[in-house]
Amino acid sequence: MLKITCPWCGPRDEPEFTYGGQSHVARPSFDVDDATWARYLFVRDNPKGIHFERWCHTYGCAQWFNVARDTVSHEVLAVYRMGEPKPELGA
Amino acid sequence: MAEAATAVALAATPALATGETPVAEGTVLRVLPPRALVRLQLPRRAIAAAGTLRIGDTPLPTTPGRCAGDDPALLWLAPDGWLLISDHHDGAALAGEARRACGERTVAAVDVSDALVGFELAGARVRELLSRGTGLELSDETLAPGRCARTRLAQLAVIVRPRAAERVELIVDRGPAAWLRDWFVDAGGLL
C-alpha cells in the first residue's frame, strides 16, 4: 500500500485516494490531424521509473494534486499542487 | 424547525433510534442529538481571503485539520470547504449567517443537518476501535481536541473530531450511518 502525502492533509493511506492518470497531458489545438488528437486522447506514457500522475484525496479534502512516483519501487518522490511546476527529478 | 425535521428523520431510521450502543468493554457509541450542520464552500478565487471571514465571532480556520469556535464550531474540511456545527442555531439560520459573513462573495452555504448523522464514541478503547477501520494517525498529537480530519473509516467517508482523550465525535452520511454503528459492534467484538 502506498503512503501518499496530501499537500493539505498530510500522510494518508492509499485507499483514501483515487488515481487520475498521467499528469501534464497538454491538449493540442483543435485543428490538429486525427492521429495527433488520438494520441492526446488515448496514448499515455508507461515508463519504468519516474511517472508524473494525478491523484485525488477522495476520502479527505477531495482535492486533486500531482504525484511523482517511481513505478519500479513505488516510492513517492514528490507531491505538488495543481498549477505548480513539475519538479526536476533525476531519471 | 430543522431540529424537529431532524428528529423526524432520525425516527424514520429505526436502526438509529436507539441512542446508545455498547461496542466494546467500557466503550459506547451514541447517536448525537439533532443539531444544525451547514456545509460552506468558497469559490477558488476567495480562498485567500478565507482567514478574514468570521462566522459569529470566530474566524474561519485556514489551517488543515483544525477546528475553531464552540458554537458554531467551524471544521476545516478542505482548502475551500468547512462544516459548521451548532447546537443552538437553526440550520437555515446558520446557513444564512454564513452567507452574510461572506458578504458579496458567491458562496455555497447548504443546510445539511438532515443529511449527516453525528456519533460519539467514548471509552477506554476508542483508539483501538478506530485503528481497526482507518489508517489515520491516532497519536495524542493528531487526535486531540481542536483537530478534525475527514478520512476513510469502515470504507466510509467520515469526519473525525476528537472531543477529549477518550471521546471522539464521528460525522457520517445518514444513509450508511446504521452500517457504521454495526461495524463498530463487530469491530468491538474482535478486540
Side-chain angles (χ1 to χ4, degrees):
Chain A
M1 184 189 295
L2 297 177
K3 181 76 96 177
I4 299 171
T5 301
C6 169
W8 288 273
C9 304
R12 299 289 182 91
D13 288 348
E14 183 184 348
E16 291 199 11
F17 298 87
T18 303
Y19 177 69
Q22 183 180 331
S23 295
H24 309 293
V25 178
R27 187 180 70 193
S29 62
F30 290 116
D31 55 1
V32 296
D33 58 43
D34 288 351
T36 304
W37 192 254
R39 271 199 302 278
Y40 158 66
L41 286 179
F42 304 117
V43 179
R44 294 292 179 263
D45 294 342
N46 184 23
K48 182 180 181 183
I50 298 171
H51 189 230
F52 294 90
E53 49 202 30
R54 298 175 300 182
W55 288 79
C56 180
H57 193 188
T58 313
Y59 283 81
C61 60
Q63 304 297 302
W64 284 95
F65 58 94
N66 295 303
V67 169
R69 179 176 63 90
D70 189 317
T71 58
V72 178
S73 65
H74 291 298
E75 183 184 359
V76 174
L77 302 167
V79 174
Y80 53 106
R81 298 178 183 186
M82 286 295 174
E84 291 182 350
K86 195 172 170 178
E88 295 291 333
L89 298 168
Chain B
M1 187 187 294
E3 191 169 320
T6 307
V8 170
L10 269 179
T13 314
L16 294 176
T18 51
E20 191 169 299
T21 307
V23 291
E25 190 181 348
T27 306
V28 295
L29 184 74
R30 63 176 68 93
V31 180
L32 291 172
R35 63 227 168 120
L37 298 163
V38 168
R39 180 71 201 249
L40 175 65
Q41 192 97 25
L42 289 182
R44 284 272 165 188
R45 61 183 178 281
I47 293 174
T52 64
L53 302 177
R54 302 175 78 88
I55 314 281
D57 293 329
T58 310
L60 269 182
T62 53
T63 305
R66 298 293 174 146
C67 307
D70 188 33
D71 198 309
L74 316 177
L75 279 62
W76 185 98
L77 296 185
D80 56 353
W82 293 263
L83 183 69
L84 283 44
I85 305 175
S86 174
D87 291 320
H88 301 111
H89 287 73
D90 175 80
L94 183 58
E97 186 175 333
R99 272 191 288 271
R100 277 192 300 281
C102 295
E104 298 298 313
R105 296 175 184 85
T106 303
V107 300
V110 181
D111 179 5
V112 291
S113 307
D114 295 329
L116 303 173
V117 172
F119 289 106
E120 184 180 82
L121 184 64
R125 312 194 78 171
V126 164
R127 283 164 205 248
E128 270 181 279
L129 273 166
L130 290 175
S131 70
R132 294 282 174 145
T134 179
L136 190 67
E137 173 65 49
L138 298 174
S139 67
D140 287 340
E141 187 186 337
T142 56
L143 203 69
R147 309 288 294 244
C148 64
R150 187 169 179 266
T151 187
R152 185 171 185 163
L153 171 63
Q155 315 305 335
L156 301 174
V158 176
I159 298 166
V160 179
R161 182 188 179 204
R163 305 292 283 157
E166 294 182 345
R167 189 158 57 91
V168 172
E169 180 181 340
L170 306 166
I171 301 169
V172 65
D173 286 342
R174 178 170 301 282
W179 146 263
L180 183 63
R181 189 203 53 187
D182 293 346
W183 182 89
F184 272 113
V185 172
D186 283 346
L190 295 171
L191 291 181

